[in-house]
């Protein structure tokens, strides 16, 4: 069994590269010695001045939120590649439609902010009494602000050049499979700590990151052959979840085992390879949570204490019930 990961350059035929260009006015200006009047400041070789805010950051938060929405959309459908994203061809339509909605919201927020720009500056000055001149000396015109707020993206096909010139691109493509498993592991680790660690019960809301990962893996299954088996394992775990009500017991333990698997890139590759080699996805899932068979489990106490038997226990010693499931590090 080999766990080497290398994506062939031919996958570029099924991928669209996307570059996201979001510009957000920082509303910051560099502090200068003139801002401090006659105050004795250390020389520049010793210390550098920071920046000053010329507008309330809360007035600009909406633009960062919209950028985060766009990044989440692209991460859900694609993976990081060449400073942008690689998305499967069949995801172009939903990605484009999603970005268009965000672009419309961005344009509306931009128009709203520019319409009250002067008022926002006046409020910021009023909220910082004693520093009016510090702010006033660094204000920029509304046309400058307009030019520094923008939301756009470009989609294009990547075609490798011939010969040695394409070597670096080939290396980047070769790493796509490993990058995909790494991105999945990061999301799964966040889901584990947020929704599954130490929980005896979760709601259907906890399934959202798992379903998103399933969508991502299914869309990019052509990047690495061991991805499709992982999708099958996820489907097996989700199929065991009740349609309504809290998720507890065996269904929850199965999900916890699944998330633990998805947190580990090496484990994902190994499980994917085992399924390719013939293991049933349901059996693979059971292997994450089931205890070893009785005839396979070694009797550790018998080896460590060969002369010990139950009759040696004090009659009133309380006994703890044995767990029906191996913890596998989940609790």
């Amino acid at each position: 069994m080999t766990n080497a990961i290398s994506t062939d350059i031919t996958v570029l035929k099924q991928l669209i590269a996307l570059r996201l260009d979001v510009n957000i006015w920082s509303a910051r200006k560099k502090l200068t010695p003139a801002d401090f009047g006659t105050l004795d400041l250390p020389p520049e070789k010793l210390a550098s001045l920071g920046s000053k805010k010329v507008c309330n950051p809360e007035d600009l938060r909406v633009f960062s939120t919209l950028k985060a929405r766009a990044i989440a959309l692209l991460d859900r459908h694609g993976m990081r590649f060449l400073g942008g994203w690689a998305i499967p061809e069949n995801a172009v339509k939903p990605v484009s439609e999603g970005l268009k909605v965000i672009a419309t919201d961005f344009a509306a927020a931009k128009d709203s902010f520019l319409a009250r720009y002067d008022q926002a500056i006046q409020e910021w000055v009023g909220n910082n009494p004693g520093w009016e001149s510090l702010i006033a000396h660094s204000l920029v015109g509304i046309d400058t602000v307009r030019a520094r707020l923008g939301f756009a993206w470009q989609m294009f096909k990547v075609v490798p050049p011939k010969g040695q010139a394409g070597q670096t691109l080939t290396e980047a493509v070769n790493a796509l499979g490993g990058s995909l498993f790494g991105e999945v592991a990061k999301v799964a680790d966040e889901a584990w700590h947020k929704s599954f660690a130490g929980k005896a019960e979760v709601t259907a809301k906890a399934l959202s990151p798992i379903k998103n990962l399933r969508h991502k893996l299914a869309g990019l299954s052509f990047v690495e052959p061991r991805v499709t088996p992982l999708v099958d394992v996820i489907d097996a775990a989700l199929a065991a979840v009740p349609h309504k009500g809290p998720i507890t017991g065996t269904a929850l333990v199965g999900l916890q085992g699944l998330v633990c698997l998805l947190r580990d890139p090496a484990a994902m590759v190994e499980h994917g390879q085992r399924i390719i080699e013939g293991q049933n996805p349901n059996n693979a899932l059971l292997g994450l949570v089931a205890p070893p068979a009785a005839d396979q489990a070694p009797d550790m106490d018998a080896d460590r204490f060969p002369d010990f038997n139950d009759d040696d226990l004090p009659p009133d010693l309380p006994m703890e019930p044995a767990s029906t499931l191996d913890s596998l590090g989940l609790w």
Side-chain angles (χ1 to χ4, degrees):
M1 176 169 60
T2 174
N3 289 344
I5 304 175
S6 181
T7 300
D8 192 88
I9 192 73
T10 56
V11 302
L12 288 177
K13 297 178 180 179
Q14 303 176 67
L15 289 173
I16 300 294
L18 186 147
R19 178 181 174 83
L20 181 67
D21 291 320
V22 182
N23 298 316
I24 301 175
W25 180 49
S26 67
R28 293 175 180 265
K29 296 286 285 186
K30 183 179 180 181
L31 285 167
T32 66
D35 292 322
F36 298 93
T38 59
L39 183 64
D40 189 19
L41 297 174
E44 289 188 3
K45 67 178 182 179
L46 178 62
S48 60
L49 297 174
S51 62
K52 51 191 170 184
K53 302 172 184 177
V54 298
C55 183
N56 190 343
E58 289 299 317
D59 290 330
L60 298 166
R61 186 180 298 275
V62 60
F63 301 109
S64 297
T65 299
L66 291 170
K67 180 179 180 180
R69 273 177 54 189
I71 292 174
L73 171 69
L74 295 172
D75 282 342
R76 188 162 60 250
H77 288 276
M79 55 186 301
R80 304 300 176 101
F81 180 59
L82 299 180
W85 283 263
I87 61 174
E89 288 187 325
N90 59 11
V92 167
K93 183 177 180 179
V95 167
S96 297
E97 291 175 348
L99 289 176
K100 287 177 182 177
V101 171
I102 299 172
T104 299
D105 292 343
F106 193 99
K110 177 179 177 178
D111 290 343
S112 176
F113 175 70
L114 293 176
R116 62 177 302 274
Y117 175 67
D118 291 337
Q119 178 185 347
I121 296 300
Q122 292 172 6
E123 291 175 354
W124 185 241
V125 170
N127 291 333
N128 293 276
W131 300 101
E132 294 87 350
S133 61
L134 182 70
I135 299 173
H137 291 160
S138 300
L139 294 180
V140 298
I142 192 171
D143 289 338
T144 300
V145 177
R146 180 181 289 108
R148 294 181 182 177
L149 288 170
F151 185 97
W153 67 95
Q154 302 85 37
M155 291 186 182
F156 51 93
K157 292 286 289 185
V158 177
V159 180
K162 296 180 179 179
Q164 188 63 29
Q167 183 60 36
T168 55
L169 176 60
T170 300
E171 292 172 356
V173 173
N174 287 344
L176 278 175
S179 297
L180 177 58
F181 289 124
E183 290 183 13
V184 168
K186 181 179 178 181
V187 175
D189 190 62
E190 293 173 355
W192 170 258
H193 291 291
K194 181 178 180 180
S195 304
F196 291 98
K199 299 292 181 65
E201 175 182 306
V202 299
T203 66
K205 185 178 180 180
L207 300 178
S208 180
I210 297 176
K211 291 180 177 179
N212 285 339
L213 288 178
R214 194 264 180 210
H215 177 81
K216 181 185 181 93
L217 288 167
L220 293 165
S221 59
F222 56 86
V223 169
E224 223 286 339
R226 283 161 290 201
V227 170
T228 297
L230 283 174
V231 175
D232 295 336
V233 171
I234 295 174
D235 287 342
L238 293 177
V241 174
H243 295 298
K244 59 181 180 179
I247 304 170
T248 61
T250 303
L252 174 58
V253 174
L255 290 174
Q256 288 172 321
L258 171 67
V259 175
C260 281
L261 168 66
L262 297 177
R263 293 171 68 197
D264 185 343
M268 282 188 276
V269 173
E270 181 179 354
H271 272 263
Q273 185 65 36
R274 286 182 177 180
I275 295 174
I276 287 176
E277 293 174 355
Q279 186 174 12
N280 184 286
N282 291 299
N283 292 338
L285 181 62
L286 289 173
L288 298 174
V289 298
D295 58 351
Q296 296 176 348
D299 188 351
M300 300 301 294
D301 285 339
D303 294 336
R304 292 164 57 195
F305 309 108
D307 299 328
F308 181 84
N309 59 67
D310 292 344
D311 294 336
D312 296 323
L313 290 173
D316 297 326
L317 183 67
M319 299 293 289
E320 292 290 335
S323 172
T324 59
L325 288 173
D326 186 0
S327 73
L328 294 167
L330 300 178
W331 53 78

